Amino acid sequence: MITLFDRHRLGGLELPNRVVMAPMTRGRAGAGGLATPSMAVYYAQRASAGLIVTEGVQPSLVGQSNPGTPGLYTEEQVASWRPVTDAVHANGGRIFAQIMHGGRVSHPDTTGLRPVGPSAVAATGEVFTPTGPRPAPLPRALDLSEVPEQARSYAEAARRAVDAGFDGVELHGANGYLISQFLSSNANLRTDSYGGPIARRIRFAVEAVAATVDAVGAARTAIRLSPGGTFWGVEEREVPELYAALLAELARFDLAYVHLEATAEEEVLIGLRRAWPGNLVVNPVLPMGPKQTDRAAADHWLALGADLISFGRAFLANPDLVERLRTGLPLAPADPATYYQGGDTGYLTYSAHQYAA
């Protein structure tokens, strides 16, 4: 029987356990999208995870979704990340950067640029800006000649991530951001080679992954997906068929892993587990939903064939989450008011339990 605390081989890494720290936006980056000393402390505190996946990191200025998020498109940003990866490695950890292009989920008040997307269809709801929530603007539809450049932006950020000391990258293909928008049947209204039938809607995701594999190698490349998710108003037709086709294409690359969110019925996710021949990370709860991942949910998905389990909010207030899960200690609650507010309160102010020697 596989447990959360068994070792596992992931690409070129030997993980001491099967607990993954899920990517979570925290809004603490410095001016110019720079990583900060506080970010180095935050991630190093959680280095007992089998693998850390960072908050979403934009691959370009137009790819930035939220204010206060870090980037990997300038040499200054690369240099700012090195103390973060060094601190995690010094504490015995392993860390992937999540590369996140927001696509239409952005605002000119944040970037100074008009957001782009597969089609001129606005996201549903309000987006975050430096002055508060604003209605999602109408994006500019990418010209056919521009689409490959946006796909390559993931690979360029991945190359910089490796230069900054990351062990690999996870492409954010979930939650209504750019890759997810191309997979969508209502955000993507294109009639060219990137829209319409399933084979065309998955093309952008496959090209982004292929470019990243070429840049840093398959063992350092992963992708996160949210089958059937409706974040920011995206909809997907034929969810099982769409993701089966995508995974069949991605299987050619021998990726480090695929990371699935529990955004579809369990039966659908089990079918995708069967369709995917490689390492699978499962986040067992709906992101930002009422439940948090716990030991029971983790054990359930390990029994269903997941290789690794990602924990999100539980890691915020519990930097020693792995040991708490191992010993059955209660989990400290996180304060939602501090999720994105900036500063060290609710970021570095949670401490580990004092374990007996």
Side-chain angles (χ1 to χ4, degrees):
M1 179 69 181
I2 294 172
T3 78
L4 271 178
F5 313 107
D6 292 338
R7 304 181 74 84
H8 186 70
R9 170 65 62 174
L10 187 77
L13 301 174
E14 181 73 23
L15 309 187
N17 57 68
R18 295 168 183 253
V19 177
V20 175
M21 178 177 169
M24 292 175 286
T25 299
R26 301 307 309 275
R28 261 81 170 183
L34 301 182
T36 67
S38 290
M39 290 165 66
V41 175
Y42 170 75
Y43 285 115
Q45 286 176 338
R46 292 154 178 81
S48 59
L51 177 68
I52 291 171
V53 185
T54 71
E55 61 213 277
V57 181
Q58 56 261 16
S60 61
L61 183 58
V62 77
Q64 182 175 359
S65 180
N66 303 307
T69 54
L72 268 170
Y73 56 92
T74 71
E75 291 308 309
E76 292 78 12
Q77 291 165 349
V78 170
S80 74
W81 277 111
R82 290 190 183 119
V84 179
T85 58
D86 286 347
V88 170
H89 292 147
N91 277 10
R94 296 135 300 274
I95 185 167
F96 273 36
Q98 188 190 63
I99 309 301
M100 172 182 156
H101 191 311
R104 68 180 186 170
V105 185
S106 183
H107 199 281
D109 288 358
T110 299
T111 64
L113 301 170
R114 184 179 178 187
V116 298
S119 301
V121 179
T124 299
E126 295 181 319
V127 297
F128 298 105
T129 78
T131 56
R134 299 283 302 277
L138 188 70
R140 178 178 67 80
L142 288 164
D143 185 78
L144 180 61
S145 64
E146 297 176 293
V147 176
E149 175 188 354
Q150 298 304 316
R152 287 193 301 270
S153 72
Y154 293 89
E156 292 159 3
R159 190 178 291 109
R160 290 190 173 94
V162 171
D163 189 28
F166 283 99
D167 298 298
V169 298
E170 176 184 284
L171 275 57
H172 198 345
N175 298 2
Y177 299 112
L178 186 62
I179 290 175
S180 175
Q181 291 159 30
F182 272 93
L183 295 173
S184 169
S185 49
N186 69 339
N188 181 356
L189 305 180
R190 303 178 74 96
T191 56
D192 58 21
S193 54
Y194 289 93
I198 284 174
R200 294 180 182 176
R201 280 190 281 136
I202 67 174
R203 180 180 173 186
F204 182 81
V206 173
E207 288 185 355
V209 167
T212 304
V213 169
D214 285 345
V216 300
R220 290 192 176 106
T221 303
I223 189 169
R224 192 179 206 207
L225 303 168
S226 54
T230 56
F231 304 96
W232 301 108
V234 300
E235 295 177 3
E236 295 169 344
R237 291 193 301 268
E238 306 165 303
V239 171
E241 295 82 4
L242 173 67
Y243 282 90
L246 176 58
L247 293 180
E249 286 293 310
L250 297 182
R252 299 186 286 113
F253 299 108
D254 194 22
L255 302 179
Y257 63 84
V258 164
H259 189 173
L260 291 182
E261 296 178 5
T263 46
E265 296 83 1
E266 187 170 286
E267 181 180 353
V268 173
L269 298 177
I270 292 172
L272 297 180
R273 162 69 285 186
R274 296 191 187 110
W276 176 246
N279 284 311
L280 183 72
V281 182
V282 171
N283 190 313
V285 302
L286 187 69
M288 299 307 294
K291 295 182 179 179
Q292 293 188 34
T293 303
D294 57 16
R295 177 72 188 273
D299 290 343
H300 176 72
W301 269 102
L302 287 173
L304 290 176
D307 298 293
L308 302 154
I309 304 297
S310 64
F311 293 75
R313 285 163 287 170
F315 258 117
L316 298 185
N318 300 277
D320 58 338
L321 178 64
V322 175
E323 195 60 26
R324 287 179 185 260
L325 292 169
R326 191 192 309 272
T327 58
L329 281 169
L331 302 186
D335 178 7
T338 65
Y339 284 178
Y340 316 113
Q341 74 173 18
D344 289 345
T345 300
Y347 192 60
L348 305 184
T349 50
Y350 298 114
S351 59
H353 178 77
Q354 296 302 307
Y355 300 93

